[in-house]
Amino acid sequence: MSVVEEQKAFDYYSHAVITAAERAGPAVVKVEIGRGAQRSRDGHQGIGSGVIYSSDGSILTNAHVVAGASRVTVTLPDGRSFPAGVIGAQPERDLAVLRVGQSGLPVAELYATPPRVGQLVVAIGNPYGLDFTVTAGVVSALNRSLPLDRETKLGNLIQTDTSINPGNSGGPLVDVQGRVVGITTAILPFAQGLGFAIPVSTALDVISQITEQHRQGISRGTLGISGLDVRLDEAVQRTLSLDQSSGVLLLEVAPGGAAARASLRNGDIILALGDHKTDTVDALRQAVQALKGSSSWPVSFLREGRRRRVTLVAREVKS
């Protein structure tokens, strides 16, 4: 091969990797996990990766990344950080779905067509906490399996020689068009050049199951919502003279539920239910229990920095 041909081949390779990184990169997030004292006396913080796959703020990551988490924060490459809720997880397939209370976020395409052995792929993630690192390689083999424990195996895995290290877990493996073909999941200890990813076909099945279970769960609830604890902006606290520093951020409002009928929506932050301050999800649950039997409940909440009030008309749906 001539020098000119070598340069052309190198330029093509570079262009392919750059294109993949630029298309998928904005949708890759750093996932930071806080674990409570029961897991670690010093409140251990872990780091993984994830990818936004839907404009409603849904994120795909590994189940092992968020296992035992007391809080989850995701950070985008542009520096924005948001608290995230765990919508559901399937540890036996090492996948989990998170959601943030934001819309209009960058989204990566999930591409279910299986990759081919020898195909160029790019991994994007946060190995060892090095934010938004890009590595490239090829698909080495398909249909590999790895043991999760003595009784369970992860199957149908993509094997790649793309450099994957701790912190990459949950991040995307993408093709040269920037389409996600897998979710990186594991490396073999002490192995060189061996990484694995869960194919998107498996991920789509897990997303479908988790989403349906979650929707059924919130539709059966008294309020028809899902949410998570969130700290309030200090400027908003001062402006509105709030005597609490946190509330419950709504991630999803079930159509037809009590919250939806009162025109609550994703992104609202519930501050109080009746006379009960709701600075955590647990406090909101306790308020619901305390107010059972009442036909209507006043709700205080934040929307776009303004404090608002509505009245919920409770109507339980039996499972």
Side-chain angles (χ1 to χ4, degrees):
M1 182 182 291
S2 69
V3 173
V4 173
E5 289 173 330
E6 287 181 355
Q7 186 61 47
K8 285 183 178 179
F10 180 78
D11 288 345
Y12 170 78
Y13 178 86
S14 298
H15 177 73
V17 175
I18 290 168
T19 298
E22 289 182 344
R23 289 181 178 175
V28 179
V29 299
K30 177 168 65 175
V31 180
E32 294 178 279
I33 308 303
R35 294 188 171 96
Q38 73 276 12
R39 293 294 298 265
S40 173
R41 291 183 179 179
D42 62 357
H44 175 70
Q45 183 100 349
I47 295 177
S49 304
V51 61
I52 306 170
Y53 67 85
S54 173
S55 59
D56 67 356
S58 294
I59 297 167
L60 195 58
T61 188
N62 285 149
H64 78 260
V65 168
V66 295
S70 59
R71 66 184 183 278
V72 181
T73 303
V74 299
T75 302
L76 276 67
D78 62 14
R80 290 180 292 168
S81 292
F82 306 106
V86 180
I87 299 301
Q90 288 192 7
E92 69 277 10
R93 295 203 272 186
D94 198 22
L95 289 170
V97 174
L98 314 180
R99 188 167 295 158
V100 297
Q102 296 287 325
S103 59
L105 299 178
V107 173
E109 178 185 354
L110 301 183
Y111 188 62
T113 301
R116 299 173 64 184
V117 174
Q119 177 179 330
L120 177 63
V121 286
V122 174
I124 309 173
N126 304 278
Y128 298 110
L130 299 172
D131 296 356
F132 308 109
T133 296
V134 175
T135 55
V138 298
V139 173
S140 304
L142 300 174
N143 300 317
R144 295 300 200 201
S145 62
L146 284 176
L148 280 177
D149 51 44
R150 291 182 178 180
E151 299 179 353
T152 310
K153 285 186 177 181
L154 280 178
N156 193 32
L157 297 176
I158 301 166
Q159 179 185 327
T160 176
D161 68 351
T162 304
S163 181
I164 295 173
N165 293 288
N168 275 111
S169 290
L173 188 71
V174 304
D175 64 14
V176 294
Q177 281 79 41
R179 302 173 299 194
V180 180
V181 297
I183 300 298
T184 57
T185 185
I187 55 172
L188 290 177
F190 312 113
Q192 296 292 323
L194 287 175
F196 298 90
I198 302 164
V200 163
S201 57
T202 299
L204 289 173
D205 184 46
V206 171
I207 288 170
S208 176
Q209 292 181 30
I210 287 176
T211 300
E212 181 59 26
Q213 291 167 359
H214 177 70
R215 285 176 177 166
Q216 289 178 2
I218 68 168
S219 66
R220 287 196 298 265
T222 302
L223 302 184
I225 61 171
S226 71
L228 69 144
D229 304 351
V230 66
R231 293 194 63 81
L232 304 179
D233 182 88
E234 291 183 1
V236 172
Q237 291 180 56
R238 290 194 299 269
T239 300
L240 299 179
S241 300
L242 297 177
D243 61 354
Q244 64 193 88
S245 59
S246 60
V248 177
L249 174 68
L250 297 187
L251 295 177
E252 191 167 353
V253 179
R261 294 195 304 274
S263 298
L264 289 171
R265 64 193 192 203
N266 295 358
D268 289 343
I269 300 175
I270 297 182
L271 301 174
L273 186 63
D275 295 328
H276 301 265
K277 187 184 300 181
T278 56
D279 50 1
T280 66
V281 171
D282 283 342
L284 178 58
R285 291 194 187 104
Q286 292 171 15
V288 169
Q289 292 299 317
L291 292 170
K292 275 191 171 179
S294 301
S295 59
S296 61
W297 306 339
V299 177
S300 175
F301 67 100
L302 290 179
R303 179 181 293 169
E304 298 174 350
R306 297 177 59 188
R307 187 167 187 168
R308 306 188 182 200
R309 288 179 175 83
V310 295
T311 299
L312 293 177
V313 177
R315 185 179 67 195
E316 290 195 54
V317 178
K318 295 181 179 181
S319 57

